[in-house]
Amino acid sequence: MNLINGKEVAAKLKQDIAAETASWVASGGKRPYLVAVLVGEDGASQTYVGHKEKACREVGFDSRVVRLDAGISESELLEVIEGLNRDAEVDGFIVQLPLPKHISEQRVIEAISPEKDVDGFHPENTGRMITGLDAYIPATPDGILELLKYYQIETSGKHCVVIGRSNIVGRPIANLLSMKGYPGDCTVTLCHSRTANLKEVVRTGDIVIAALGVAEFVTADMIKEGAVVIDVGITRVKSDTSKNGFKLLGDVKFDEVAPKCSYITPVPGGVGPMTIVSLMKNTLKAARRRSAK
Ligand code: BQF
């Protein structure tokens, strides 16, 4: 079993982005500027936004967090987004998800200018991505591709089973792994809560991507000997033994699945840190694209 060290790969890729940013700025380019919009005070969301701010500092980007009250109306939030769309200083921005229930995430995503949509969630970017056009690739799927490349994991002709059909992870990664070339050329099966014989289907996967959001759902009996297992899950559970009062669980029962795998990602320290790096990649791309106009 080979452990995929996302934390280490992310640190290396961040150094590359920092070097690229430094030479871009030295040659007169505009320093990339990322804004994160955070609505409310959800603990996990605050942690994630904190990771994004820290990464911006590390790679040499400017960043700012726009903190808004949980009770803000949808139309007020849409006005904030309009302001960021128009702000010539801002290269890219994200609206941290999930949003409070009274706000439509879809309307919010569609209000973001596709050029500044560094999360790659706008349907224009989704459409461009699946057509194979230049687009912002959503950060988590892109991070997974970077890990496959870094470890030179063979994908051509492999059966990849994706569990979970979200717009943020499952659907885009299933699409990307079916594309021509490396890391792609997979035969992809997309499983979800209504999949019949899910266990049997997952067991045929050479590469299994668990992105359903159910802690420890994937057990050893669902995994073929020698499979590559990518765990996208991140569920916070209370824990008396950890210093901050909670621990993180993946969608994979790591201890029993790991011995069967050729490669596996841990939680934490697997896909999560790569997500942050891919957001930095997209933000640098946004800054470069804007000055090319
Ligand atoms: C790690 C996210 C669910 C819903 C909305 C590093 C992150 C997580 C873990 C992180 C995530 C998950 C993010 C680790 C961003 C990934 O060390 O294992 C980084 O910050 N993530 C998000 O912005 O929104 C989410 C998961």
Side-chain angles (χ1 to χ4, degrees):
M1 185 272 288
N2 296 290
L3 192 65
I4 295 179
N5 190 338
K7 195 172 173 179
E8 185 184 290
V9 179
K12 289 200 173 129
L13 296 183
K14 262 189 286 185
Q15 286 184 353
D16 296 345
I17 295 172
E20 279 182 53
T21 303
S23 75
W24 166 251
V25 172
S27 63
K30 176 187 174 299
R31 186 176 296 282
Y33 180 26
L34 175 69
V35 173
V37 178
L38 176 58
V39 181
E41 278 163 22
D42 175 72
S45 291
Q46 300 204 51
T47 303
Y48 299 149
V49 167
H51 290 154
K52 294 168 192 182
E53 282 186 277
K54 178 163 173 268
C56 282
R57 271 199 304 282
E58 290 169 346
V59 299
F61 295 174
D62 289 327
S63 74
R64 180 166 67 96
V65 179
V66 177
R67 290 187 171 77
L68 302 170
D69 190 90
I72 189 174
S73 70
E74 184 180 291
S75 58
E76 286 172 304
L77 177 57
L78 292 174
E79 278 173 33
V80 172
I81 290 169
E82 271 312 310
L84 293 167
N85 286 341
R86 280 191 302 263
D87 187 339
E89 290 304 310
V90 175
D91 296 297
F93 66 98
I94 63 138
V95 178
Q96 182 63 44
L97 301 181
L99 288 169
K101 279 191 275 297
H102 66 279
I103 299 175
S104 156
E105 291 188 351
Q106 201 51 41
R107 270 198 284 278
V108 166
I109 288 167
E110 286 183 50
I112 299 172
S113 163
E115 288 84 47
K116 295 191 179 187
D117 170 39
V118 286
D119 261 340
F121 294 160
H122 190 287
E124 183 171 315
N125 280 310
T126 310
R128 294 184 62 92
M129 179 190 80
I130 70 169
T131 319
L133 298 169
D134 184 50
Y136 296 114
I137 308 297
T140 302
D142 187 68
I144 294 169
L145 298 183
E146 288 290 346
L147 285 176
L148 296 173
K149 283 194 277 184
Y150 190 88
Y151 287 89
Q152 297 174 28
I153 293 169
E154 184 59 76
T155 56
S156 179
K158 301 295 180 190
H159 183 204
C160 177
V161 177
V162 177
I163 317 172
R165 53 179 154 180
S166 76
N167 288 339
I168 296 176
V169 186
R171 247 178 239 292
I173 193 65
N175 239 288
L176 289 162
L177 285 169
S178 76
M179 295 220 166
K180 254 188 199 299
Y182 184 78
D185 290 330
C186 285
T187 304
V188 176
T189 301
L190 182 51
C191 297
H192 47 75
S193 52
R194 298 297 166 119
T195 296
N197 307 317
L198 183 120
K199 208 170 256 215
E200 287 68 32
V201 176
V202 175
R203 210 182 287 139
T204 65
D206 303 307
I207 301 173
V208 174
I209 301 192
L212 68 159
V214 177
E216 301 189 318
F217 178 86
V218 176
T219 48
D221 57 328
M222 298 168 73
I223 295 299
K224 177 164 76 176
E225 196 69 43
V228 174
V229 173
I230 306 291
D231 189 350
V232 185
I234 181 158
T235 304
R236 286 176 163 225
V237 294
K238 286 203 182 77
S239 159
D240 301 328
T241 51
S242 73
K243 46 187 186 304
N244 47 9
F246 64 86
K247 63 174 177 174
L248 300 177
L249 288 180
D251 286 352
V252 176
K253 226 174 200 162
F254 184 90
D255 290 349
E256 62 173 63
V257 170
K260 296 183 84 173
C261 297
S262 58
Y263 289 90
I264 186 167
T265 63
V267 175
V271 173
M274 296 299 295
T275 297
I276 303 299
V277 169
S278 292
L279 177 64
M280 300 301 115
K281 258 172 73 179
N282 280 346
T283 303
L284 178 55
K285 179 180 176 129
R288 286 191 158 137
R289 268 212 214 167
R290 265 156 50 82
S291 61
K293 286 205 179 135

